[in-house]
Amino acid sequence: MAVSSQSGTFETVVDGIHFGECLRWRDGLLWFVDMYGDAVLTFDPASGERQVAGEVFHPGGIGWLPDGRLLAVASEDRTVFAVGPDGNEPYVDLSAVAPGWANDMLVGRDGRAYVGNFGYDLFAEEMRPTQLIMVDADRTVTVEPGELGFPNGMVRRSDGTLVVAETFAPGLALFDVGADGHLTLSGRIELDSDLTPDGMCIDAEDAVWFASVLTQEVVRVDTAGNAERLALDRNAYACMLGGEDRRTLYVATAPDHEPANRRAAKEGRIEAIRVAVPGAGADGIGA
């Protein structure tokens, strides 16, 4: 299935997954999690080959430590694991500080990780604001200041600003990052009220692309808050700029995000479209 947009046509490049999320671009490969397929996967656009990089129950955000180890969030368990071909090792347990399922994560080149969480039971409760959790390089855990409405995708701008998608309080929260890694809320980009921003990536102009779940779009927002919206034909959950010239925008899509539905059927896809401005930054998120 292809959907026309003002910038071209979306084409399916990966199918037969349960629920793709948390896309990254690293070493010429698209990395992503199959959240309800319990795996971290890679896709090679040049060959079309797909590989399993690790197995994690209900994985969320992924990232790499300076020594190359892959970290992955186990969402329901609210734990971060170091994931490898010989198995997983617990890295840090966040269950005492994360009031809801853990979700996306940004791991910086300094080894510090920032982890979001739902803040409440998404499927049974009304939204409550929550906060990001910083895991320092020595694994010290700190709940950072700044209340957020369902923090989700995260990127770092070229000036070091941390940008966080607030899915159900539609906006992009901006944080200054101190030398010690701690965060100070410094601003916010308000978004159209119908948008539901989820996974994000960043381009060479410091603009972010995010997947808007319920409006079935990917949206580019520049640093001034100007938006470009591209429509798909089903829910969009994450996006990433990659490919040889970093101008291919990959988008994870699925019919819905109900856990029972997504575990029962492999209806998830990754779709792609060409865009004008290339991706930038470590792992495509400026980490």
Side-chain angles (χ1 to χ4, degrees), residues 89-155:
E89 294 183 2
Y91 184 76
V92 64
D93 184 347
L94 303 178
S95 59
V97 293
W101 287 0
N103 55 353
D104 217 336
M105 173 175 66
L106 183 147
V107 183
R109 283 167 281 189
D110 56 7
R112 293 187 178 109
Y114 300 93
V115 186
N117 70 90
F118 290 9
Y120 66 107
D121 184 340
L122 172 64
F123 304 100
E125 298 178 326
E126 294 295 319
M127 189 194 78
R128 293 191 298 272
T130 189
Q131 295 161 269
L132 293 181
I133 299 164
M134 183 181 78
V135 180
D136 215 333
D138 63 0
R139 307 193 199 187
T140 300
V141 172
T142 308
V143 178
E144 293 296 304
E147 290 194 335
L148 301 168
F150 205 94
N152 218 320
M154 287 176 270
V155 300

Side-chain angles (χ1 to χ4, degrees), residues 94-242:
L94 303 178
S95 59
V97 293
W101 287 0
N103 55 353
D104 217 336
M105 173 175 66
L106 183 147
V107 183
R109 283 167 281 189
D110 56 7
R112 293 187 178 109
Y114 300 93
V115 186
N117 70 90
F118 290 9
Y120 66 107
D121 184 340
L122 172 64
F123 304 100
E125 298 178 326
E126 294 295 319
M127 189 194 78
R128 293 191 298 272
T130 189
Q131 295 161 269
L132 293 181
I133 299 164
M134 183 181 78
V135 180
D136 215 333
D138 63 0
R139 307 193 199 187
T140 300
V141 172
T142 308
V143 178
E144 293 296 304
E147 290 194 335
L148 301 168
F150 205 94
N152 218 320
M154 287 176 270
V155 300
R156 289 280 292 269
R157 288 180 180 167
S158 59
D159 66 359
T161 299
L162 181 69
V163 185
V164 183
E166 294 185 75
T167 302
F168 297 129
L172 304 177
L174 309 176
F175 288 90
D176 291 334
V177 182
D180 57 3
H182 292 299
L183 303 179
T184 302
L185 188 63
S186 59
R188 194 168 191 272
I189 295 176
E190 298 292 341
L191 300 174
D192 292 342
S193 61
D194 62 325
L195 292 173
T196 47
D198 196 331
M200 297 200 299
C201 61
I202 193 161
D203 71 20
E205 296 178 354
D206 268 343
V208 300
W209 281 97
F210 63 79
S212 178
V213 176
L214 299 181
T215 63
Q216 302 185 336
E217 295 170 293
V218 282
V219 182
R220 182 181 188 266
V221 178
D222 66 19
T223 55
N226 302 306
E228 172 190 4
R229 300 171 61 155
L230 304 182
L232 293 110
D233 67 347
R234 54 195 219 151
N235 291 2
Y237 292 94
C239 59
M240 178 53 53
L241 288 160

